[in-house]
Amino acid sequence: MSRSAPILSIGFLLIALGAGACVFGASEEQDDVASQAKGKANVLRVEPKNAEIVCGSDTAEVQLYLDDLEQRASVLDPNETRGIAGFQVILRYDPAILRLGPEPRIELNGSLDSFDVDADGVTRSFFAVDDVDDYLGRALIGAVSVGGELGSPSKQEEGPDPVANGAPILLMTVHFQTIGHGSSAITITEHDEELPLNLDRSGIIDPGGEMYEPLTLQNSALLVKGGACPEAPPITPRPTPGPTATYPVEPTATPIVWNTVVAPPAPDAGRLDCPEGWVAFSDEQERYSICFPGDFGASASSLALNAAAPRSAGQTDNLISLAISWDPSPGTIYYPPNDENCKEYQGSGHLSATFVTVALGGGDIGACLSEGRLEDGMPIASIQSAIPLAKDGSPSEGYVRFDINFTSSTDLVEKQRQAEDILRTLIVNKR
């Protein structure tokens, strides 16, 4: 808003208007209602003080009138309200002919504060509010008021009423600047979808916060001719519209296919460095290879390998499982692992983690050793880390991640040794 009320903002009026239905349109009492103020229709009228004006000679005054207002309960009943407590009007004009900015002159009729409908010596105090957009040729103008006890409709002071006044009431005067020749319609817009909710409609309310509806609107026009038009005042800059945003459409996910692995004996795969009886696995992209005991079960996808030691019927301990995968990131660990960040890592069921160095086929590497217990109390541990695939150690080629888990109710240290024997065969083919 270019101005705000000293005590209340136009939000007071807008909350009263709400988002409910505000019925606008012609009334059966529209004809000749302005002069008679019969109390049966709610009529707002906009009218230029002079229908024709010479360009550049002076401002063009356009006035907003309340011609009639639906008759409400008796002014003698203190539990009822009548008159107006606020109004809001969306005024449209041709910005090529008329402008209001950059410092709009919109004057509230000062006599509104002196209307004392029930003759009790107390009146309402009105405050003007406005929001001007010369770019669109639109002005949101209005007024709010205080009078009586806020929040208590039974104690709200009466407001101005053309019926009680016996004649139409001037509400506001808008002073336009003339910047071009031609005829500009001056209209009150019932509803403008471009405005935010509650700012998007014209309306008037009574001191109890009730809408006057339906609302009859009477528009006009102003002709600017002759004279020398001054240079148009600047318009508030607006952002230049950019291209319509194109949102990325996620491709339909292709399910990852897992297949049972029948790994060849390590020597047949060219891995002469692996223990006797072990098998060897190389991923499809030849990013890494690893050996593991021949009785392990394994499955693999294009991205990962899962392998695990066999279980006897009812066996729940002496288990080893491993997961090797390629990923664009180092995953859930804090990379690269060290004494400090391993303390922050908590795997599933793990209570603590420490930094360790493990030997791989390509050399030693730092990792996090996590230890904890499963829900049944079984101790569990894992060794986890990631290795950059790029020769320069950058993340450009992604990472080969490993996570090997082991558990034992009798000798966890022995299971850790067996797990590290498997890790020792992991070779990452740097690129």
Side-chain angles (χ1 to χ4, degrees), residues 206-328:
D206 71 13
E210 298 295 327
M211 279 289 301
Y212 281 99
E213 52 187 3
L215 186 62
T216 299
L217 306 176
Q218 296 182 353
N219 302 315
S220 188
L222 186 147
L223 177 63
V224 178
K225 64 179 184 179
C229 294
E231 182 179 354
I235 294 179
T236 302
R238 286 174 167 264
T240 302
T244 302
T246 301
Y247 297 96
V249 177
E250 293 293 335
T252 303
T254 302
I256 296 177
V257 179
W258 288 84
N259 297 305
T260 300
V261 170
V262 181
D268 293 349
R271 293 295 306 267
L272 303 178
D273 57 322
C274 295
E276 185 177 353
W278 284 26
V279 297
F281 172 85
S282 296
D283 85 314
E284 295 179 359
Q285 305 296 326
E286 298 183 349
R287 290 168 291 207
Y288 63 88
S289 67
I290 191 169
C291 299
F292 49 84
D295 60 350
F296 272 42
S299 62
S301 71
S302 60
L303 297 176
L305 165 74
N306 288 330
R311 290 189 188 186
S312 301
Q315 184 180 14
T316 58
D317 57 3
N318 299 326
L319 302 179
I320 298 176
S321 64
L322 65 99
I324 311 291
S325 64
W326 175 87
D327 197 279

Side-chain angles (χ1 to χ4, degrees), residues 326-374:
W326 175 87
D327 197 279
S329 74
T332 57
I333 69 166
Y334 294 85
Y335 184 83
N338 57 45
D339 287 329
E340 292 301 318
N341 60 30
C342 278
K343 296 177 182 178
E344 302 296 325
Y345 173 72
Q346 296 294 315
S348 176
H350 297 159
L351 301 179
S352 63
T354 56
F355 176 74
V356 295
T357 300
V358 295
L360 304 181
D364 293 346
I365 186 173
C368 292
L369 169 64
S370 300
E371 298 178 275
R373 290 186 180 274
L374 298 175

Side-chain angles (χ1 to χ4, degrees), residues 4 33 61 64 114 119 144-145 196 201 221 248 256 267 335 341 372 375 385 390 410 413:
S4 59
V33 72
E61 295 184 13
L64 178 67
S114 63
V144 292
S145 68
R201 61 191 64 244
I256 296 177
Y335 184 83
N341 60 30
E375 292 182 359
S385 191
T410 58
V413 174

Side-chain angles (χ1 to χ4, degrees), residues 153-169:
S154 64
K155 297 181 180 180
Q156 286 290 319
E157 177 58 34
E158 310 287 359
D161 180 356
V163 179
N165 187 50
I169 296 175

